[in-house]
Amino acid sequence: MIGQNLTLPNGVVLNNRIVKSAMSEALADASNNPTPELTALFERWGAGGAGLLITGNTPVDRQHLEHAGNFALDDLSDMARVADLASAAKSGGAKVLAQLAHAGRQTPEAINPHPVSVSGLRLDLQGYGDPVSASDADFDKVIAKFVTSATLAQSAGFDGVEIHAAHGYLLSSALSPRINTRQDKWGGSLENRARLAISVVRAVRAAVRADFIVAVKLNSSDFQKGGFDHHDSVKVAVMLEAEGVDFIEISGGTFETPTAYQHTSKRRSTAAREGYFLDYAAAMKSALTIPLMVTGGFRSADVMNTAIAANKTDLVGIGRPFIIDPEFPSKLLSGSIAAASAVERDFPPADELPRGAVLNWFCTQLAHLAHNGRPDLELSVEDGHQQYLERIVKATRRWQQH
């Protein structure tokens, strides 16, 4: 079933159900433009057989980056390079979306010590400053920036955008009653907490062509006490469908509770876990008529096909295997392999490693793939983790000096 095409509500046809989900490439230059390495990487992924590719976190505001290595999309972008990236990604027949995001309070302090957020609640991690609670004018600027970025993506040749309302970034934090403590029209009831995300989607949908894909990434849950939960997530998904969204991707967690970035070690489980969020997906799928994409943990074709057949998802989002073997979708679709790479299952459990080590190891491997054409699988988890941290420090210094 993963080999079947899928027609989105706006009429765009995806060749199959495999999607390269967003990964943080950290391969932009000091001006936050795509580098030749990033463009070549997307060309390689585009040739690998997936039906859809989604860029890593692409900020709409240079003062609210996820990190200094982000490719940003705004009026300062080198649009020739952006167009080259879109063209390269599509050259193998895949569609491509730019994932638009505003980091909000998850903007590193080295980028912005006082980022705009939905409230003044500081992120409970080192390296992040005290945010400023947004005014109505600030929110209007945020909405306008998403529109600008979406129209630029359209002019550059992207097939659509995915608006990032998950993982604790600004739109996600606005949905959370734990973070969003406002008493005005942007806070309180679920309808008010969803106002920012809905306003962004509505404005973007009105500004782009009917055949331009508008998708949303939404948390199934923040997995934090008092945070955005699954029941509210289903209700917001229904609101988003009413705004003309073409599909919704569900994930989960935030920087403080990084559920989406977990891995299952063989030491902990004899049966490796796949489809982290499928249990949450079933209720959402039954509430929607638009397609649903589930990302997190998928590796074997049998599990993917079963999930689609059980009507728990329509699209299968996969990330890390694209780093280890960019051609795995074609192999999976042809039947020459039964499952994508799962090298992380041989790693120690997360509680035996530095925080974020596995995610950072994959980010380092992504850089190896971009620069050398292949990952370095002999690199230890700890060394890969350290190399990534050093690379981001260097990128931040270049960004600050630029």
Side-chain angles (χ1 to χ4, degrees):
M1 299 189 74
I2 54 174
Q4 294 177 346
N5 62 27
L6 177 69
T7 303
L8 298 178
N10 67 351
V12 173
V13 179
L14 305 181
N15 292 335
N16 59 64
R17 307 302 182 92
I18 298 177
V19 181
K20 187 207 80 67
S21 59
M23 295 183 286
S24 187
E25 295 100 10
L27 288 171
D29 64 17
S31 298
N32 300 106
N33 287 310
T35 56
E37 289 81 9
L38 181 60
T39 298
L41 189 61
F42 269 90
E43 184 173 19
R44 182 177 285 118
W45 282 333
L52 178 65
L53 310 178
I54 305 177
T55 69
N57 192 308
T58 305
V60 301
D61 184 337
R62 290 166 187 266
Q63 296 303 311
H64 293 85
L65 305 174
E66 173 208 12
H67 54 62
N70 286 141
F71 147 48
L73 187 53
D74 62 11
D75 288 331
L76 297 177
S77 297
D78 183 333
M79 293 308 296
R81 290 195 188 186
V82 177
D84 285 346
L85 173 61
S87 177
K90 295 166 62 172
S91 62
K95 304 297 184 184
V96 61
L97 307 184
Q99 187 191 70
L100 304 183
H102 185 296
R105 73 191 195 119
Q106 293 183 168
T107 304
E109 189 171 19
I111 300 293
N112 188 341
H114 301 294
V116 169
S117 181
V118 71
S119 72
L121 183 63
R122 186 180 181 278
L123 194 69
D124 188 23
L125 292 172
Q126 288 186 343
Y128 297 89
D130 293 321
V132 175
S133 183
S135 65
D136 284 356
D138 289 328
F139 283 136
D140 287 343
K141 290 177 183 176
V142 167
I143 295 165
K145 286 179 182 293
F146 273 94
V147 171
T148 295
S149 296
T151 56
L152 288 172
Q154 180 176 262
S155 68
F158 281 88
D159 297 293
V161 294
E162 180 181 59
I163 294 166
H164 202 337
H167 297 173
Y169 297 109
L170 180 62
L171 305 190
S172 173
S173 64
L175 291 167
S176 167
R178 186 184 75 86
I179 303 168
N180 186 347
T181 55
R182 303 176 72 101
Q183 300 300 314
D184 59 6
K185 68 178 183 179
W186 305 100
S189 67
L190 178 61
E191 289 73 17
N192 282 356
R193 287 183 279 118
R195 187 181 303 276
L196 182 58
I198 296 297
S199 297
V200 167
V201 169
R202 182 177 297 158
V204 167
R205 182 74 277 174
V208 297
R209 298 188 311 266
D211 65 350
F212 190 71
I213 300 167
V214 177
V216 175
K217 187 166 189 172
L218 183 69
N219 267 0
S220 57
S221 172
D222 292 346
F223 301 106
Q224 291 180 308
K225 185 177 181 180
F228 185 61
D229 64 22
H230 179 57
H231 299 291
D232 281 353
S233 181
V234 173
K235 293 176 183 177
V236 172
V238 173
M239 295 180 201
L240 291 168
E241 178 174 7
E243 298 298 331
V245 168
D246 291 297
F247 72 86
I248 292 173
E249 175 187 4
I250 64 165
S251 188
T254 69
F255 278 19
E256 292 168 326
T257 54
T259 310
Y261 312 122
Q262 64 187 315
H263 78 286
T264 303
S265 168
K266 285 181 179 177
R267 296 188 200 173
R268 285 204 175 162
S269 173
T270 54
R273 187 179 178 204
E274 294 193 37
Y276 301 153
F277 305 110
L278 275 177
D279 291 341
Y280 296 95
M284 187 174 289
K285 187 77 176 71
S286 66
L288 299 174
T289 60
I290 60 173
L292 186 68
M293 170 178 162
V294 179
T295 299
F298 287 108
R299 296 295 181 267
S300 63
D302 282 348
V303 172
M304 298 175 201
N305 287 329
T306 299
I308 295 171
N311 203 35
K312 291 184 176 181
T313 191
D314 301 287
L315 294 165
V316 176
I318 305 175
R320 293 168 178 174
F322 279 92
I323 300 172
I324 306 305
D325 179 7
E327 297 177 355
F328 87 85
S330 293
K331 298 174 183 177
L332 209 61
L333 292 165
S334 70
S336 63
I337 60 172
S341 166
V343 296
E344 67 274 14
R345 292 178 186 164
D346 292 321
F347 295 166
D351 57 11
E352 296 179 16
L353 294 166
R355 181 184 176 91
V358 172
L359 174 63
N360 293 343
W361 182 86
F362 274 101
C363 289
T364 294
Q365 297 296 353
L366 193 153
H368 278 289
L369 178 64
H371 291 283
N372 306 319
R374 62 185 182 280
D376 177 9
L377 299 183
E378 299 302 314
L379 187 68
S380 72
V381 178
E382 291 84 354
D383 287 346
H385 168 63
Q386 189 60 38
Q387 285 184 21
Y388 175 76
L389 296 178
E390 292 170 359
R391 187 158 60 94
I392 292 300
V393 168
K394 291 178 181 177
T396 302
R397 287 174 182 161
R398 288 195 300 269
W399 183 86
Q400 291 171 332
Q401 294 166 1
H402 180 71

